[in-house]
Amino acid sequence: MQRNVMQVKEKKNRYTVTYIPGDDSGFDVMEAAMIVMQTLNPPIDWVRADMGWCMWEKSCKEYPEGDPKRNTVPPETLEKVKNSDATLMAAITSKSGVKGFKSAILQLRQIFDLYINFRPAKLYPGVSTPLKGDPNIDIVLFRENTEDLYSAVEWRPLPKEMFDLHPGMERFKDKSEVAVSWRVYSKEGCDRIIRAAFEYAKANGLKSVVNCNKANVIRATDGMMKERFLEIAKEYPEIEAREENADATAMWLIKNPQDYQVIVTSNVFGDILSDEASQLIGGLGFSPSGNIGENTAVFEPSHGSVPKYAHQYKINPCGMLITAAMMLKYLRLDEYAEKLEKAIGDTLVEGKYLTYDIWRDRGDKDWETKAVSTLDMAKAIAAKIDPDFDKKADEICAKAKEMCAWEHLV
């Protein structure tokens, strides 16, 4: 019997979770999360670790160029992630064109073989959507997380000897500069992400799984994924399986999002389609994600670190909190996850303590004056969990601030 990788291997009375505040506004939403998590009080021991642009800048001051310790992910962070039951991470900053810089989250995905990027898109009551009417949007997307164009197999410029590897490169030989990123798929990589999607559908009583590809054009790689999808689908006759072009999916998601329950696709297409789906449910401020493998999982909101709002407590904490609820489900702490999700939903429906983006997207002309801070919205959610929250608020908020202090990293 295949193990359910969407849950921790061993159910425990108490878990160890590494939390990573990330960069810039990541610290803000993690502080908000810790206000709520302390109030919820699941059986978790929290261990702090750091990674991202903040650690890159810090390591550049401490280590010379070429030293492996000059990195976005310190060795001690890798050790903590390895020894934890799960990791909860806030948004991190990635920058292009910086010599020696490597994306922190891409490193974690590769090192720990976190081959599933799990991206739910669920429309909460009280949240605005660009779609007309009252659409029922509840989609989960399984994005392959370790292969495709994100495999980091690339050259710029392409070495001259490699122009002879394929006859199709002949027409590029006279170009002044050629850059190549390999789109790498493996049969094993396709099989495990496809099977994970079907197993999730089966476990949750869902009736359809859709594979999005461009096998009509990208025949070697997406052709392999399409073939493996159709073959593996035979093992799940009770589930409707269909495959379609990824560009068609992008169109139909807007017109008929209710037609999708589970989507499984490649790394790049999954990156694009999941962001599109998030816009249907109120934006990235409501979009969680999980990076899941056989031995551990790293959970992070889908939004970026929003450097322009760093430490101003402006951005929506819901993506971070829904991500925390997803992590609780992974840890088999469903009762805590349900309590958290209900508190988020009740706060949104009440419509009193909302960040600027929620008011703005509702079309309220007074959105700037009505908006509350990241922490005030978190405190409102915490109060839905515990009616006596106000009596403990000062102590809980002070502890959360201490847990997410960032000044020492500057």
Side-chain angles (χ1 to χ4, degrees), residues 71-83:
N71 201 340
T72 52
V73 187
E76 57 268 25
T77 295
L78 292 176
E79 193 66 21
K80 289 175 181 177
V81 171
K82 179 182 177 181
N83 293 323

Side-chain angles (χ1 to χ4, degrees), residues 49-111:
D50 290 291
M51 73 177 203
W53 180 255
C54 62
M55 298 310 294
W56 171 256
E57 289 189 308
K58 191 171 187 290
S59 67
C60 283
K61 296 174 185 175
E62 297 176 357
Y63 303 104
E65 187 175 327
D67 193 312
K69 292 182 180 178
R70 181 185 273 208
N71 201 340
T72 52
V73 187
E76 57 268 25
T77 295
L78 292 176
E79 193 66 21
K80 289 175 181 177
V81 171
K82 179 182 177 181
N83 293 323
S84 295
D85 295 299
T87 296
L88 182 64
M89 187 179 88
I92 57 173
T93 299
S94 288
K95 299 192 180 184
S96 60
V98 179
K99 186 178 179 181
F101 179 88
K102 296 179 182 178
S103 165
I105 188 58
L106 287 183
Q107 289 185 71
L108 288 192
R109 289 170 180 170
Q110 298 288 343
I111 291 168

